[in-house]
Amino acid sequence: MGFAFSCPSGIGSLIAGWFCGRLIHHFGDVTHQPEKMRWAMIGVGVLTALLLWIYDRTLMPKEATAKISQAAKSNAQKACQLPIFALGGSSLI
């Protein structure tokens, strides 16, 4: 996983740290209303969900979506066929 996992996580951590620091300063020190920070974070979550929905509907090709869903279905079927001990459970059930 290396670079493909660490790089986006590091960038996200830098942005989130900066952004949350700004929010804490604004709502805690400037306005003295820290309870309103919750609404800012809800707004970030709603905006993120909306942007991901737009990406899914417009930018992601249909072939890639079909391949992803087919791979997920195939993996689910394979997991159901494994014996219990292969999943890390006890074989003496």
Side-chain angles (χ1 to χ4, degrees):
M1 286 190 332
F3 185 76
F5 180 74
S6 299
C7 189
S9 296
I11 293 170
S13 179
L14 285 173
I15 293 171
W18 171 82
F19 182 70
C20 288
R22 300 274 305 195
L23 285 177
I24 289 171
H25 172 70
H26 177 74
F27 289 112
D29 297 337
V30 177
T31 63
H32 301 290
Q33 296 175 330
E35 64 277 358
K36 290 190 177 180
M37 185 174 157
R38 175 183 310 141
W39 293 107
M41 296 309 296
I42 289 171
V44 169
V46 169
L47 178 65
T48 301
L50 178 66
L51 290 174
L52 286 171
W53 181 77
I54 291 169
Y55 171 78
D56 184 52
R57 296 292 177 207
T58 60
L59 298 177
M60 190 170 188
K62 298 298 179 197
E63 298 85 32
T65 306
K67 287 180 184 178
I68 290 170
S69 67
Q70 181 61 29
K73 192 181 296 185
S74 162
N75 288 339
Q77 289 173 349
K78 288 178 186 175
C80 290
Q81 295 171 352
L82 290 175
I84 292 175
F85 60 87
L87 298 175
S90 173
S91 61
L92 302 173
I93 295 180

